[in-house]
Amino acid sequence: MFPDEFDYERPETVEEAIDLLTENPEAEVLAGGHSLLPTMKSGLASPDLLVDIGRIDAMRGIDHGGGTVSIGGLTNYATIDESDAVRENVEVFAEAAHAVGDVQVRNRGTVGGNLAHADPASDLPAAALAADATMVVQGPDGERRVDADDFFLGMYATDVGEDELLTRVEFPARPEAAGAYAKKPSPSSGYAMVGVAVSLTVDAGLVEDVGVAANGIMDHGVRLDPVEDALAGTNPDEETVAAAAANATEDLEEMMMMDDLQASAEFRAQLLETYVERAIEDAATGTGLVAGPP
Ligand SMILES: Cc1cc2nc3c(=O)[nH]c(=O)nc-3n(C[C@H](O)[C@H](O)[C@H](O)COP(=O)(O)OP(=O)(O)OC[C@H]3O[C@@H](n4cnc5c(N)ncnc54)[C@H](O)[C@@H]3O)c2cc1C
């Protein structure tokens, strides 16, 4: 199908883009286009104006310094996957970027588009939660910072207003943390039927810090607090990890679990427990401090 007619603007600064969005409430931001353009072609979105942010160089690239890794909203998945700064300091996010789609999607899709679009089955939200990301959002009133825990509001809904841009994502640099992302991809689309992100720091054989979050199970990425609580302070051996994973659905409202042609809510809950276990085991093995799975 062809999309409806639309106007097109290509600003070169964040401020110009925000002016265009403020003046045109029916406008949409175009980043990698890998979610927006299919939506327009299928008639589900018909913006009057596309604000193509692809030329805003200030929103592209990765900085590492002062205990923080900062990723510009326009940075594509391939750049994140190949970045030493991300892999060495926020391994879980590099692993999740590596799991997105195929090579074409990873070269085109952007971190800002992925997180702002907030598809329940996309790969980055859980990794942003597990790694304690801060979203930097800019609008007509300036810049504001939003914790990942407060950012995802529902299916395709985030704390980014219509006249705002997600300009960058910041992470605490944690070179001591091992990260893993375990994903059960949909056989048809490759999106996450269930995807679990884990960031794990083990000191003297005991879990010092842990973040565990999941995609695909609820209408947006969710932190799995009961699993984190069960792991804190333990030796993450096989038995402890299995017991912690058994808590995966404890805080999740069964009625609100994703249930569609790809997988029933019941099957997703089973997948979740298995993938939580796998992701923790992968991360624990990565720390080199505890025995890995047999
Ligand atoms: C074949 C295929 C397979 C895919 N497989 C996967 C997968 O396995 N895992 C996965 O996670 N994703 C997958 N995707 C989706 C892909 O990751 C998209 O790139 C992503 O969802 C959106 O990023 P984008 O840069 O393409 O954004 P766009 O499509 O350009 O924009 C998406 C939405 O986000 C808004 N937006 C974009 N950037 C910003 C910003 N900086 N600030 C505020 N709003 C913004 C836009 O207005 C729009 O509403 C797949 C896509 C395709 C086509």
Side-chain angles (χ1 to χ4, degrees), residues 6-28:
F6 55 86
D7 291 328
Y8 175 85
E9 295 279 358
R10 194 162 59 190
E12 298 203 352
T13 66
V14 170
E15 290 72 20
E16 277 171 44
I18 290 168
D19 284 347
L20 285 163
L21 294 172
T22 309
E23 288 156 16
N24 300 277
E26 301 299 321
E28 279 281 353

Side-chain angles (χ1 to χ4, degrees), residues 28-36 53 59 77 99-101 105 109-110 112-114 116-117 122-123 160 164-166 183 189-191:
E28 279 281 353
V29 174
L30 175 67
H34 267 185
S35 291
L36 181 60
I53 58 174
M59 279 181 62
Y77 311 116
V100 174
V105 178
T110 67
N114 192 297
H117 189 56
S122 67
D123 290 302
V160 181
E164 292 183 313
L165 288 177
L166 176 57
K183 169 178 177 177
S189 71
Y191 278 80

Side-chain angles (χ1 to χ4, degrees), residues 20-287:
L20 285 163
L21 294 172
T22 309
E23 288 156 16
N24 300 277
E26 301 299 321
E28 279 281 353
V29 174
L30 175 67
H34 267 185
S35 291
L36 181 60
L37 297 184
T39 319
M40 289 171 64
K41 284 185 173 180
S42 63
L44 290 169
S46 301
D48 294 345
L49 169 69
L50 283 191
V51 179
D52 180 351
I53 58 174
R55 291 276 170 96
I56 305 180
D57 291 337
M59 279 181 62
R60 204 184 307 277
I62 298 169
D63 290 323
H64 173 215
T68 301
V69 175
S70 174
I71 306 181
L74 273 177
T75 311
N76 66 27
Y77 311 116
T79 305
I80 295 168
D81 182 19
E82 288 160 13
S83 158
D84 288 342
V86 181
R87 200 153 277 284
E88 285 164 15
N89 295 289
V90 203
E91 188 180 15
V92 62
F93 207 68
E95 289 293 321
H98 182 74
V100 174
D102 54 26
V103 71
Q104 286 166 307
V105 178
R106 289 196 292 277
N107 276 314
R108 187 80 207 162
T110 67
V111 60
N114 192 297
L115 296 171
H117 189 56
D119 188 316
S122 67
D123 290 302
L124 298 192
L129 288 162
D132 298 323
T134 300
M135 314 294 179
V136 182
V137 176
Q138 193 168 331
D141 299 328
E143 205 171 82
R144 61 194 181 87
R145 302 166 65 78
V146 185
D147 285 350
D149 285 296
D150 301 322
F151 184 79
F152 303 104
L153 303 179
M155 194 175 285
Y156 305 112
T158 68
D159 188 22
V160 181
E162 284 174 357
D163 53 1
E164 292 183 313
L165 288 177
L166 176 57
T167 54
R168 63 183 192 279
V169 188
E170 291 183 356
F171 299 88
R174 290 180 177 147
E176 69 287 359
Y181 183 67
K183 169 178 177 177
K184 169 73 182 162
S186 151
S188 58
S189 71
Y191 278 80
M193 212 182 263
V194 165
V196 178
V198 171
S199 173
L200 181 72
T201 305
V202 176
D203 187 31
L206 299 178
V207 173
E208 189 181 67
D209 187 42
V210 61
V212 184
N215 300 310
I217 185 89
M218 306 301 280
D219 62 353
H220 60 86
V222 283
R223 183 183 289 281
L224 302 177
D225 295 292
V227 180
E228 294 180 355
D229 294 345
L231 279 176
T234 65
N235 170 8
D237 58 17
E238 212 178 312
E239 208 175 307
T240 310
V241 170
N247 297 331
T249 55
E250 195 178 293
D251 272 3
L252 306 179
E253 213 179 316
E254 205 180 320
M255 289 291 291
M256 300 302 287
M257 278 186 194
M258 296 290 288
D259 188 331
D260 54 29
L261 286 176
Q262 305 272 354
S264 65
E266 193 186 354
F267 180 45
R268 274 195 162 84
Q270 289 171 7
L271 283 176
L272 180 67
E273 192 175 321
T274 303
Y275 279 78
V276 166
E277 204 172 330
R278 278 187 196 172
I280 300 169
E281 281 172 351
D282 284 356
T285 312
T287 65

